[in-house]
Amino acid sequence: MPNPSPTTVSLLVSTYNWKEALALVLRSVAQQSRLPDEVIVVDDGSREDTAALLQAIARTFPVPLRHVWQPDEGFRKARILNRGIAAARGDYVVQVDGDMVLHRHFVADHLSLAHPGLFLQGTRIRTTVAETARLIGGGKPRFSWFTDAYFRDDKDRSTYHFGRRHHTLRLPWLARLKSRSSGHPMGCNVSFWREDLLNVNGYDERMHGYGSEDLEIDIRLQNAGLRRSQIKFAALALHLEHRSVSPPDPADPDLPNNRLLYASRDARLIRTEHGLDAHLADFTQPPADLREQSVRAE
């Protein structure tokens, strides 16, 4: 059973060929009120310019910065996340996408709400095209009622409008009151006890292509007796707008990943046989801290 509260935390940041967004995310990580104990950039085959960016950022980064890369053989997010989890040394794992700019209390909020028997599901604030361009151009992130962002319409979830602005507010006391089992699983803002991830063997690596790897592990974690706790009014993050690579109907039951998802649901599966245990032997020692490599290069 995990400790009552996390003592060390690994932050996983997934990326693929968008170094401008990754730079913003890592800048927001470096400004956290509670720094993670390490940051692992899990890279699904980006070009060499991403590695060069990380080497440059590492020179002044406040905590160990590690880069776990795999060759580009199509969308293999499940596999690269597993490699990041295998590499992680924290007893708690916070996972974000490389297009999520974090509020300065993001890590602290996840840790304050963490509890044995739970995994935490955060949300995202989807910035408009204009706001994304402003941020990429060097603008300061804004978390307030007036954030320039789209918000999903509960009656028509395929469209966005400019209501529901309360989701941009950080109110920790209300976050504790509103913690509940609800919401939609999203891998862009989620956290787990590492031990719980090991028990279910991480993500199912048979999932190739966009989508459903986060839904599938969510099912297995709940089958293992854990409860998903939705975070509201805390752990805020701005999602940078970009062209989606999702299929026209991500819920199409005939998609290969969804067939695996429904098979896990119907079998009440807990542990995948195609998971992170395949990578544990590769990380008996943690990946190199890029800060040390930068010092040696100088």
Side-chain angles (χ1 to χ4, degrees):
M1 177 64 67
N3 294 325
S5 60
T7 57
T8 55
V9 57
S10 300
L11 178 65
L12 270 55
V13 182
S14 60
T15 193
Y16 175 71
N17 280 336
W18 196 8
K19 62 184 179 65
E20 295 83 5
L22 180 60
L24 289 182
V25 175
L26 292 178
R27 184 187 308 161
S28 71
V29 172
Q31 297 169 350
Q32 290 294 295
S33 60
R34 197 298 192 185
L35 288 166
D37 295 281
E38 65 176 355
V39 174
I40 304 175
V41 175
V42 289
D43 186 342
D44 192 14
S46 295
R47 297 179 296 264
E48 292 183 2
D49 58 353
T50 292
L53 170 76
L54 292 174
Q55 288 286 353
I57 289 174
R59 296 189 183 103
T60 57
F61 207 67
V63 298
L65 179 61
R66 314 188 194 281
H67 187 200
V68 176
W69 179 90
Q70 67 184 8
D72 186 356
E73 297 177 6
F75 194 104
R76 296 189 297 160
K77 187 176 182 181
R79 184 179 188 274
I80 196 60
L81 285 171
N82 279 345
R83 287 186 65 78
I85 296 163
R89 291 301 183 267
D91 60 355
Y92 200 72
V93 175
V94 180
Q95 177 188 310
V96 299
D97 283 352
D99 54 12
M100 298 279 284
V101 179
L102 311 182
H103 188 283
R104 68 180 301 268
H105 297 305
F106 180 89
V107 172
D109 286 343
H110 268 277
L111 296 183
S112 71
L113 296 168
H115 191 275
L118 302 180
F119 62 102
L120 302 180
Q121 177 62 68
T123 58
R124 62 180 183 172
I125 302 166
R126 184 184 166 197
T127 59
T128 64
V129 172
E131 180 66 0
T132 296
R134 188 188 70 82
L135 291 167
I136 293 289
K140 184 178 180 180
R142 296 183 289 212
F143 294 90
S144 75
W145 190 269
F146 302 103
T147 298
D148 187 10
Y150 303 121
F151 298 92
R152 197 180 290 275
D153 189 328
D154 285 340
K155 294 181 180 178
D156 180 3
R157 297 183 67 80
S158 66
T159 64
Y160 288 80
H161 62 83
F162 289 88
R164 300 175 64 84
R165 292 188 170 275
H166 57 280
H167 291 314
T168 65
L169 302 179
R170 180 179 179 270
L171 301 168
W173 62 272
L174 191 55
R176 288 188 289 273
L177 289 176
K178 289 288 187 179
S179 177
R180 62 192 188 278
S181 298
S182 65
H184 181 73
M186 292 191 300
C188 63
N189 179 357
V190 64
S191 65
F192 321 86
W193 294 92
R194 185 172 183 270
E195 181 179 335
D196 291 334
L197 293 171
L198 291 170
N199 286 341
V200 302
N201 206 19
Y203 290 86
D204 189 327
E205 294 184 16
R206 294 175 297 170
M207 290 196 162
H208 290 203
Y210 178 90
S212 293
E213 75 286 334
D214 48 0
L215 306 181
E216 196 273 342
I217 195 173
D218 180 276
I219 285 175
R220 287 188 288 110
L221 287 165
Q222 293 193 69
N223 289 344
L226 301 172
R227 180 169 67 87
R228 183 198 333 126
S229 183
Q230 183 80 19
I231 304 175
K232 298 287 189 183
F233 302 106
L236 305 181
L238 301 173
H239 177 263
L240 301 172
E241 180 70 356
H242 58 84
R243 186 179 55 151
S244 175
V245 296
S246 67
D249 180 11
D252 182 349
D254 291 327
L255 291 173
N257 285 359
N258 285 341
R259 289 201 294 270
L260 293 170
L261 168 68
Y262 299 138
S264 295
R265 178 198 64 190
D266 295 343
R268 296 197 58 78
L269 190 67
I270 292 174
R271 180 180 174 85
T272 177
E273 295 302 317
H274 309 273
L276 71 85
D277 60 357
H279 309 289
L280 292 172
D282 293 340
F283 297 104
T284 55
Q285 298 296 321
D289 180 353
L290 297 182
R291 301 178 305 167
E292 297 174 0
Q293 292 184 343
S294 296
V295 169
R296 287 197 297 268
E298 294 172 356

